[in-house]
């Protein structure tokens, strides 16, 4: 890369410009920024922004999940072709697997949303979502669209198209199924339908009352691929060279793409940087096929919207841009802003209302460039991450005119007040402090798609303007100042700033949270009518009053606490068990009941959920806290279980709820004298993918089984993302990608008298009622004859599979491998999953049939 860059520099005739480009390269290549910190742009980045002002074209990429997108193509379109580039992911990836923790469902979707936003900050594209919920692997688009609600998600795609107004739409997957996953195929089908529907005023006409108009993209193409044994690329398709090197950024698009894709850390998608030529292939789906350029027959110049002379003005600005002193461009940039603001808009061909869309887009971009060139620093921070309604929040406001540009009379607007700053001297912090009172009833921090209870298959978002957005607008302040005699307003987030002794200065979002947070201990009870509540206060001198209500019987349990709590104080409400009116059950029935902690006014207290990982901002949301107890017939045999963590699951909590004592094991614990105390050892999901040390303890684990122990191994993957790093079993088998996605698939008992189905719990078809999302994943195949396959099942239209659960005797003990999704079913409280799991780890080998 260095040699190629130096060759480029040598080809530049102007020696001053050559020095400037060298300077930009080193700044862009070596400087990294904390994603939450105020962003300062290098001269190279500003130069790219200036060039982008003259390109009035946009492209929308559409797929199903976070990590489906082609980051190289996005990076190329955004930074080489300079198009406004967006990625619409239909889902937030809620139903995927998690390589970094135990979050599932909406929690995982929140993580993957932030990972996508981190990726977009690197490749330069924008991020959009529909309301579709990722319910896990699907084998048909029909199932996906039925679950989501076809018309609802189609309307979302149409909304994003009408709002983003892409000239070209690209899908990652085809409509014909080569993408494998049903969600993938559904994303292509919906994109194709939306291509037409967005231009039809009779389709979703209510959107046209929300400030939008119909929009017809020029073409929609499929970005074909060569994945493993599936090669859909062909010489008759449109080709684009996307491996180019960008000397302004100092990186090739393969390098940018790798950094972007590696943000999908929860999916284990870290990849090496790629350099060299890469051809992307695109197949026309609808519209006219491109011949010479992806944007054939699309005018991306200023002719499409306003005064074409603006292009010449922008070109002159670029010519005179001084990377050592970008502030010198500020006067000309402000003049350009005034010209652009007053330039007449051109009516579309055939007449009609003048279109200001691109003019407004470029005015917004130009305002950012003016800020970046001036080196203007604006910051709004607090010394606390949490704010409480009916309480005050101290906000520190800083403005610094670092370059000494002509900037006067700065102020900040919060609520109905204006905070005036002193005269802005060059490179001097002007500081003001404002104490904001958060009125009672101030909205709590809550991702907009979680504000209402979810509908089947999709999120319930009632505000049309929020649909498509990646996240909420942050808690913010508006700065205003005169730059070269023109008033500009900048909205900046209010952030919590602190210093870590290792990581340095860090920023996190400020979250508005309830005065009290409650949590049930435990969250889920098994055959246990007793639970405790823990309450934490976030504000001084709060009086806490509560009731506990048993939802299923509608009775209020007699508990009225009247305690004044200090900030940070934690209390447990029930020193003695409380009594809930719960119906008795018999061994043929399952019962579920719930306890919710209510305020005196009848509304539930909320639990504060916080998700923290170094690579994404801290995530906070709330939901009513509910204790759930499952009442069903459950017997266990043995009481001491060792657990080896993997990628993350909640199996240990489920084992404790069943009545086991659980100890977490690490490599140093794998000694025969220590292992022999355990009735069973359970490995977490992907334990053999994530723990390289498992290979070092293979002999110890096999000896443990041989001497009478039970080793249950949950699913592992065997692919480029999660290769098995250790030997697993006493007898050979392979791990496949086979799975059963239908959670209601009929389960056939292959060996009805096997103890796994009979001891200590009699397993019947009823035990597979109420399973969620799927039955099993990553089945065993090519199994040794020493194993017994216990079940067979199939998805609609497929052959029976028998690799979801295999068991083998080894010495005095037994080995179990299972792809059954216990990591989903046990936290969900599925009774049959508990009963079957208890059988699998019951430690009485003589009950098993050889």
């Amino acid at each position: 890369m260095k040699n190629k860059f130096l060759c480029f520099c040598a080809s530049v005739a102007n020696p001053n410009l050559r020095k400037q480009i060298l300077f930009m390269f080193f700044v862009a290549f070596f400087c990294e920024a904390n994603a939450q910190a105020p962003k300062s742009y290098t001269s190279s980045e500003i130069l790219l922004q200036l060039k982008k002002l003259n390109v009035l074209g946009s492209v929308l990429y559409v797929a199903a999940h976070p990590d489906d997108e082609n980051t190289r193509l996005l990076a190329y379109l955004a930074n080489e072709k300079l198009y406004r580039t967006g990625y619409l992911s239909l889902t937030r990836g809620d139903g995927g697997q998690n390589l970094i923790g135990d979050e599932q469902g909406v929690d995982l979707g929140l993580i993957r949303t932030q990972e996508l936003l981190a990726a977009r900050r690197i490749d330069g594209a924008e991020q959009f979502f529909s309301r579709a919920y990722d319910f896990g692997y699907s084998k048909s688009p029909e199932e996906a669209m039925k679950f989501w609600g076809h018309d609802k998600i189609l309307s979302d795609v149409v909304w994003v198209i009408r709002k983003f107004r892409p000239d070209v739409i690209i899908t990652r997957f085809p409509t014909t199924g080569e993408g494998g996953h049903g969600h993938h195929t559904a994303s292509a089908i919906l994109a194709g339908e939306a291509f037409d529907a967005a231009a039809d005023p009779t389709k979703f006409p209510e959107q046209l009352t929300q400030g939008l108009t119909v929009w017809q993209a020029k073409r929609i193409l499929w970005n074909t691929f060569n994945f493993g044994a599936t090669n859909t690329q062909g010489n008759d398709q449109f080709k684009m060279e996307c491996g180019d090197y960008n000397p302004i950024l100092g990186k090739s698009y393969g390098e940018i793409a790798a950094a972007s894709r590696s943000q999908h850390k929860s999916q284990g998608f870290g990849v090496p940087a790629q350099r060299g030529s890469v051809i992307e292939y695109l197949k026309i789906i609808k519209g006219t096929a491109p011949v010479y350029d992806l944007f054939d027959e699309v005018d991306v110049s200023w002719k499409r919207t306003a005064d074409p002379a603006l292009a010449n003005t922008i070109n002159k600005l670029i010519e005179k841009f001084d990377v050592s002193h970008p502030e010198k461009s500020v006067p000309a940039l402000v003049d350009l802003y005034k010209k652009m603001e007053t330039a007449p808009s051109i009516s579309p061909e055939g007449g009609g209302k003048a279109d200001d869309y691109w003019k407004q887009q470029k005015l917004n971009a130009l305002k950012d460039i003016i800020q970046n060139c001036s080196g203007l620093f604006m910051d709004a921070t607090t010394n606390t991450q949490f704010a409480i309604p009916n309480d005050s929040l101290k906000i520190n406001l800083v403005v610094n005119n670092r370059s000494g540009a002509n900037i006067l009379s700065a102020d900040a607007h919060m609520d109905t007040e204006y905070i005036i700053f002193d005269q802005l001297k060059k490179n001097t912090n002007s500081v003001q402090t404002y104490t904001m009172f958060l009125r009672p009833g101030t909205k709590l921090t809550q991702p907009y798609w979680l504000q209402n209870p979810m509908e089947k298959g999709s999120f319930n978002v009632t505000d049309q303007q929020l649909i498509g957005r990646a996240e909420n607008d942050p808690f913010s302040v508006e700065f205003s100042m005169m730059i070269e005699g023109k008033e500009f307003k900048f909205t900046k987030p209010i952030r919590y700033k602190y210093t870590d002794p290792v990581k340095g200065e860090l920023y996190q979002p400020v979250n508005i949270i309830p005065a009290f947070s409650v949590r049930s201990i435990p969250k889920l009870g098994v055959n246990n009518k007793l639970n405790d509540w823990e309450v934490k206060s976030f504000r001084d001198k709060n009086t806490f009053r509560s009731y506990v209500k048993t939802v299923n019987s509608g009775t209020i349990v007699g508990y009225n606490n009247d305690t004044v709590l200090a900030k940070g104080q934690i209390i447990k409400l029930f020193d003695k068990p409380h009594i809930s009116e719960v119906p008795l059950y018999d061994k043929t029935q399952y019962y579920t009941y719930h306890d919710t902690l209510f305020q005196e006014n009848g509304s539930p207290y909320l639990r504060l959920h916080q998700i923290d990982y170094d690579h994404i901002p801290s995530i906070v949301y709330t939901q009513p806290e509910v204790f759930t107890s499952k009442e069903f017939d459950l017997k266990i045999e043995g009481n001491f279980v060792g657990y080896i963590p993997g990628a993350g699951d909640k199996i240990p909590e489920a084992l404790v709820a069943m009545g086991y004592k659980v100890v977490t094991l690490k490599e140093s614990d794998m000694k025969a004298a220590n292992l022999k105390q355990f009735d069973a050892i359970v490995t977490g999901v992907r334990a053999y993918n994530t723990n390289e040390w498992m290979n070092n303890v293979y002999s110890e684990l096999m000896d443990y089984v041989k001497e009478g122990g039970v080793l249950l191994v949950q699913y592992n993957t065997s692919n480029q993302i999660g290769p098995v790093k250790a030997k697993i079993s006493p007898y050979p088998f392979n791990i496949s990608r086979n799975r059963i996605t239908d959670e209601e698939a009929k389960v056939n008992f292959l060996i009805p008298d096997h103890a796994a189905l009979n001891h200590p719990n009699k397993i019947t078809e009823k035990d597979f009622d109420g399973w969620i999302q799927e039955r099993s994943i990553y089945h065993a195949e090519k199994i040794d004859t020493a194993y017994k396959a216990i079940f067979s099942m199939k998805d609609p239209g497929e052959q029976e599979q028998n690799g979801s659960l295999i068991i083998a005797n080894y010495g005095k003990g037994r080995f179990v491998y299972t792809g059954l999704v216990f990591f989903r079913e046990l936290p969900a409280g599925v009774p049959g999953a508990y009963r079957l799991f208890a059988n699998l780890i019951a430690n009485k080998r003589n009950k098993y049939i050889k």
Side-chain angles (χ1 to χ4, degrees):
M1 186 182 75
K2 179 181 176 183
N3 290 340
K4 187 171 183 179
F5 172 75
L6 293 175
C7 289
F8 166 81
C9 289
S11 69
V12 177
N14 186 318
N16 291 326
L17 182 58
R18 200 160 54 229
K19 290 178 183 177
Q20 291 176 1
I21 293 174
L22 276 165
F23 169 79
M24 289 189 295
F25 167 76
F26 286 112
V27 171
F29 194 80
F30 292 111
C31 290
E32 295 289 339
N34 182 311
Q36 291 303 297
K39 169 74 173 174
S40 292
Y41 288 85
T42 65
S43 291
S44 60
E45 291 170 314
I46 296 171
L47 180 59
L48 205 62
Q49 293 169 351
L50 285 168
K51 288 176 174 289
K52 205 162 188 171
L53 286 176
N54 263 343
V55 180
L56 283 66
S58 59
V59 57
L60 181 66
Y61 201 89
V62 182
H65 309 106
D67 72 39
D68 284 346
E69 75 275 23
N70 183 337
T71 53
R72 180 173 45 242
L73 183 55
L74 291 180
Y76 177 81
L77 293 170
N79 298 286
E80 181 71 25
K81 303 301 289 185
L82 305 179
Y83 301 135
R84 186 184 180 200
T85 304
Y87 173 46
L88 170 58
S89 174
L90 294 192
T91 77
R92 295 177 184 268
D94 325 79
Q97 290 144 37
N98 186 355
L99 201 64
I100 61 173
D102 61 9
E103 295 85 3
Q104 297 177 23
V106 294
D107 283 3
L108 180 56
L110 288 164
I111 292 171
R112 298 185 72 183
T113 293
Q114 291 302 323
E115 289 178 339
L116 264 185
L117 289 171
R120 297 295 81 82
R121 285 190 288 270
I122 291 170
D123 60 38
E126 299 172 50
Q127 186 60 53
F128 306 99
F129 292 97
S130 83
R131 289 174 287 179
Y133 177 74
D134 179 359
F135 59 90
Y137 194 89
S138 172
K139 293 182 179 178
S140 77
E142 293 78 16
E143 179 194 32
M145 291 186 287
K146 180 180 179 181
F147 189 83
W148 293 335
H150 170 275
D151 289 356
K152 179 177 181 177
I153 305 308
L154 175 61
S155 75
D156 290 357
V157 182
V158 169
W159 171 264
V160 171
I161 290 173
R162 286 173 172 172
K163 198 167 186 179
F164 186 71
R165 299 174 68 169
D167 298 299
V168 173
I169 299 172
I170 301 173
T171 68
R172 168 79 283 191
F173 302 105
T175 60
T176 46
E178 291 90 337
H181 199 317
H183 295 182
H184 294 168
T185 307
S187 71
I189 292 171
L190 289 167
E193 293 178 359
F195 175 83
D196 296 321
D200 186 344
T202 68
K203 298 297 173 66
F204 311 110
E206 68 281 358
Q207 296 180 2
L208 304 180
T209 66
Q210 299 276 331
L212 300 186
T213 186
V214 294
W215 181 255
Q216 179 63 72
K218 190 69 176 178
R219 58 184 60 93
I220 181 170
L221 307 101
W222 162 34
N223 181 198
T224 59
F225 49 78
N226 184 359
F227 295 157
T230 305
N231 185 1
T232 61
Q233 297 172 344
N235 287 327
D236 60 338
Q237 297 167 7
F238 183 74
K239 303 177 190 67
M240 296 174 64
E241 168 60 72
C242 294
D244 289 346
Y245 171 74
N246 188 320
I248 293 178
L249 297 180
K251 296 180 182 179
S252 70
Y253 295 112
E255 292 170 296
I256 296 171
S260 173
R261 189 159 185 77
S262 294
Q263 300 309 302
H264 297 293
K265 300 184 189 303
S266 66
Q267 305 306 294
F269 274 9
V271 294
Q274 293 184 343
R275 300 165 187 85
S277 173
V278 178
I279 304 296
E280 292 292 343
Y281 293 76
L282 299 109
K283 182 177 181 180
I284 190 68
I285 303 300
K286 293 181 180 180
T288 59
V291 177
Y292 303 106
D293 186 86
L294 183 64
F295 273 60
D296 276 354
E297 303 174 17
V298 178
D299 188 348
V300 297
S301 74
W302 277 99
K303 293 178 182 178
R304 76 183 297 178
T305 187
D307 184 359
L310 289 172
N312 293 329
T313 305
I314 294 167
N315 284 331
K316 288 177 182 177
L317 266 166
I318 295 170
E319 240 177 80
K320 295 180 179 179
F321 181 67
D322 183 345
V323 296
S324 298
H325 293 282
E327 74 278 4
K328 291 180 179 178
S329 295
V330 172
L333 287 167
V334 173
D335 286 343
L336 174 62
Y337 190 95
K338 293 175 183 177
K339 290 178 183 177
M340 196 180 293
E341 199 174 30
T342 57
S345 298
I346 297 175
S347 298
E349 292 182 16
K353 185 180 178 180
D355 190 351
D356 283 339
Y357 171 79
W358 274 111
K359 186 169 117 175
Q360 193 57 52
Q361 292 297 319
K362 297 305 179 182
L363 280 169
N364 293 339
L366 184 52
K367 183 173 73 170
D368 290 340
I369 293 171
I370 291 169
Q371 178 194 338
N372 299 338
C373 280
S374 68
L376 180 61
F377 177 84
M378 294 165 280
D379 204 15
T381 61
T382 71
N383 60 1
T384 177
Q385 190 173 359
F386 301 114
I388 313 294
N390 199 29
D391 207 346
S392 59
L393 178 66
K394 182 180 176 182
I395 302 170
N396 303 305
L397 303 165
V398 180
V399 178
N400 189 317
N401 180 10
R402 292 179 292 185
S403 70
N406 183 13
I407 303 175
L408 303 173
S409 62
D411 63 63
H413 182 206
M414 301 193 70
D415 289 334
T416 57
E417 296 191 37
Y418 289 87
I419 301 93
I420 310 299
F421 291 88
D422 295 333
Q423 183 178 2
L424 300 182
K425 298 178 182 178
K426 180 178 179 180
N427 201 26
T428 301
N429 289 331
S430 184
V431 181
Q432 292 286 359
T433 299
Y434 176 73
T435 300
M436 170 184 279
F437 177 71
L438 298 176
R439 298 179 182 86
T442 299
K443 284 188 176 181
L444 303 179
T445 297
Q446 188 78 344
Y448 75 84
W449 59 98
L450 300 182
Q451 288 175 358
N452 302 313
M454 191 170 71
E455 298 172 342
K456 178 177 168 55
S458 60
F459 295 107
N460 180 16
V461 181
T462 55
D463 184 346
Q464 181 69 48
Q465 294 297 330
L466 293 174
I467 292 171
R469 290 191 186 185
E471 60 180 344
N472 299 31
D473 288 334
F475 190 36
S476 59
V477 60
E478 184 180 76
F479 289 92
S480 175
M481 55 206 67
M482 301 294 290
I483 304 177
E484 294 291 337
K486 170 73 176 172
E487 183 182 23
F488 289 91
K489 295 180 179 180
F490 304 94
T491 300
K492 299 296 176 182
I494 300 171
R495 287 164 293 204
Y496 165 50
K497 182 171 74 171
Y498 64 104
T499 302
D500 181 277
V502 175
K503 302 172 185 175
E505 184 178 82
L506 297 174
Y507 287 77
Q508 290 288 0
V510 173
N511 300 285
I512 302 174
I513 63 172
F516 296 106
S517 174
V518 305
R519 69 186 184 106
S520 171
I521 306 170
K523 177 73 172 170
L524 173 68
V526 175
N527 297 339
N528 177 8
K529 299 183 180 68
L530 309 178
N531 69 296
D532 203 350
W533 295 90
E534 183 179 273
V535 180
K536 181 176 181 180
S537 177
F538 290 101
R539 186 174 60 210
D540 278 323
K541 298 181 180 179
N542 269 314
T543 300
F544 184 84
R545 295 175 180 172
S546 66
Y547 299 87
V548 174
K549 182 177 179 182
T550 304
V551 174
N552 66 326
S553 65
T555 62
I556 294 178
V557 177
Y559 188 89
N560 184 0
N561 189 53
D562 193 353
T563 305
V564 177
L565 299 182
K567 186 175 182 180
Q569 184 177 349
I570 297 175
I571 62 169
K572 288 189 176 181
L573 292 187
F574 300 114
D575 295 325
K576 297 180 180 180
H578 70 281
I579 300 172
S580 299
E581 296 183 8
V582 180
L584 297 175
Y585 70 95
D586 60 51
K587 294 182 178 180
T588 64
Q589 301 294 322
Y590 299 154
Y591 287 96
T592 301
Y593 76 94
H594 307 278
D595 276 355
T596 305
L597 196 63
F598 286 87
Q599 300 181 52
E600 198 171 8
N601 63 10
S603 60
Y605 280 105
L606 301 175
R607 177 168 184 165
L608 184 70
H609 294 261
Q610 187 167 352
I611 303 171
D612 290 308
Y613 288 100
D614 283 347
H615 68 294
I616 57 175
S618 180
I619 300 168
V620 169
Y621 74 99
T622 58
Q623 65 179 179
E625 177 68 333
V626 178
F627 166 77
T628 301
S629 180
K630 298 285 184 173
E631 303 288 340
F632 55 91
D633 184 33
L634 173 68
K635 300 182 184 70
I636 67 172
E637 190 167 80
N639 55 32
F640 202 12
V641 176
Y643 172 77
I644 301 174
D649 60 40
K650 296 178 180 177
I651 298 299
E653 293 90 332
L655 289 168
V656 170
M658 293 166 72
Y660 292 100
K661 178 183 177 182
V662 180
V663 173
T664 300
L665 301 175
K666 52 187 181 298
E667 183 177 7
S668 60
D669 298 320
M670 297 297 170
K671 304 292 189 295
N674 185 49
L675 299 183
K676 68 180 182 181
Q677 66 183 314
F678 297 108
D679 298 305
I681 294 176
V682 176
T683 69
V685 298
R686 292 188 177 185
Y688 288 86
N689 298 133
T690 59
N691 299 322
E692 294 190 10
W693 58 263
M694 292 295 286
N695 207 48
N696 303 334
V697 300
Y698 171 77
S699 296
E700 287 81 356
L701 286 172
M702 292 303 103
D703 287 345
Y704 162 78
V705 176
K706 190 184 295 184
E707 291 303 315
V710 174
L711 176 62
L712 186 149
V713 175
Q714 294 187 87
Y715 89 90
N716 287 265
T717 62
S718 186
N719 53 39
Q720 71 277 11
I721 296 171
V724 175
K725 298 180 179 179
K727 292 187 290 184
I728 292 177
S729 55
Y731 309 111
F733 69 90
N734 290 346
I735 296 174
S736 72
R737 294 183 62 82
N738 296 336
R739 61 177 70 206
I740 303 298
T741 63
D742 182 0
E743 67 272 27
E744 298 179 352
K746 179 175 171 33
V747 178
N748 301 304
F749 295 10
L750 300 180
I751 311 176
D753 58 349
H754 197 288
L757 303 177
N758 293 279
H759 180 81
N761 302 288
K762 177 67 176 178
I763 303 299
T764 69
E765 289 185 7
K766 181 178 173 59
D767 287 297
F768 290 92
D769 291 347
W771 284 49
I772 63 168
Q773 188 160 320
E774 56 201 343
R775 287 284 195 216
S776 57
I777 55 179
Y778 297 104
H779 291 182
E781 66 177 4
K782 298 180 181 177
I783 63 176
D784 189 88
T785 56
Y787 292 104
K788 303 292 184 183
I790 308 302
F791 299 126
S792 75
M793 55 190 88
K794 66 175 182 177
D795 276 326
E798 296 187 356
Q799 298 295 316
E800 291 282 332
Q801 298 182 30
N802 67 356
S804 64
L805 175 61
I806 60 172
I807 301 173
N809 294 323
Y810 183 62
K812 299 176 184 178
R814 67 180 179 273
F815 172 86
V816 181
Y817 175 83
T818 182
L820 292 169
V821 289
F822 288 111
F823 72 98
R824 297 195 194 280
E825 310 309 322
L826 297 186
V830 176
Y834 277 89
R835 286 160 46 82
L836 177 58
F837 202 87
N839 285 12
L840 296 179
I841 61 175
N843 196 0
K844 275 242 180 152
R845 179 179 175 272
N846 59 8
K847 294 287 184 180
Y848 280 76
I849 298 170
K850 295 183 179 179

